[in-house]
Amino acid sequence: MVNRNLTITLPEDLVRRAKVAAAKRDTSISALVTEHLRALADQDDDYDSVWRQERQLMAEGLAMSVGELTWSREELHER
């Protein structure tokens, strides 16, 4: 995989805290950012995949039925 450089601007205190977090994990800020962005992108991919499956199910319909109706709407709403 080819990496690209990306310049971002972050608050100084966040950079300082990110350096500490990266050091505790024996990694770099770049690796942390990569991990979080990958998880975010994967989450979107999962959502898109599930939504495609749902649209297909809705288009095809489900082979479900409730059987013969033995009641009327009026009977259901009697008080």
Side-chain angles (χ1 to χ4, degrees):
M1 173 176 30
V2 177
N3 291 330
R4 289 186 56 183
N5 287 333
L6 176 68
T7 301
I8 59 173
T9 302
L10 300 169
E12 190 173 322
D13 64 317
L14 179 57
V15 172
R16 187 173 26 260
R17 292 171 36 217
K19 285 181 180 181
V20 171
K24 286 180 180 178
R25 292 166 178 78
D26 194 30
T27 191
S28 65
I29 293 176
S30 289
L32 290 178
V33 170
T34 298
E35 179 182 325
H36 285 285
L37 289 177
R38 182 171 286 125
L40 182 64
D42 289 348
Q43 197 174 29
D44 282 349
D45 290 346
D46 290 345
Y47 175 86
D48 292 341
S49 173
V50 169
W51 181 236
R52 273 192 301 278
Q53 292 171 7
E54 288 297 320
R55 282 196 320 254
Q56 183 176 353
L57 280 174
M58 288 186 286
E60 294 172 358
L62 299 174
M64 298 172 63
S65 67
V66 293
E68 184 180 347
L69 299 181
T70 58
W71 38 263
S72 68
R73 182 180 187 279
E74 290 76 23
E75 290 172 331
L76 289 178
H77 293 281
E78 279 182 5
R79 292 188 182 198

